[in-house]
Amino acid sequence: MPRRNRPDRGGRPDLGASTGWARSESAKDGEWLVRTVPGAQATKDYRCPGCDHEIRPGIPHLVVWPADDTGGVADRRHWHKACWDARARRRPGRW
């Protein structure tokens, strides 16, 4: 049998931030799906609901939406990573 040079991933591809795959996060404010957007893939202007400042093209950030079945495309929000991490300590400016 030939030797495998790649680590076994259980038959699943490595779906990281570069592929747009979301991870699940659980917090006091609910269950969320969170996707990291690298700066090279950030091509539009967005407004962060945590600080109410713009997220300019080329700035790495997060896309967050509710993990339940009610969350859809209209429920996605683009956050600065620091603002998302601090959301429990301060209220969003816009949501």
Side-chain angles (χ1 to χ4, degrees):
M1 175 178 250
R3 179 175 163 242
R4 287 183 68 132
N5 290 328
R6 290 178 285 153
D8 183 21
R9 301 191 192 277
R12 294 177 294 158
D14 182 14
L15 299 174
S18 63
T19 62
W21 188 253
R23 68 182 181 276
S24 178
E25 285 191 16
S26 180
K28 290 182 181 180
D29 59 349
E31 296 286 325
W32 302 95
L33 294 175
V34 180
R35 184 182 75 185
T36 301
V37 178
Q41 293 179 358
T43 59
K44 293 170 53 178
D45 287 322
Y46 297 99
R47 184 154 307 268
C48 175
C51 65
D52 201 30
H53 289 206
E54 283 188 354
I55 301 172
R56 305 287 301 171
I59 303 296
H61 62 280
L62 304 174
V63 179
V64 181
W65 65 96
D68 59 12
D69 292 335
T70 62
V73 174
D75 297 315
R76 292 185 305 186
R77 299 292 179 263
H78 294 253
W79 289 73
H80 294 108
K81 180 167 179 1
C83 294
W84 176 251
D85 292 341
R87 73 188 184 284
R89 296 188 302 271
R90 60 181 179 190
R91 292 181 28 194
R94 295 170 62 152
W95 184 252

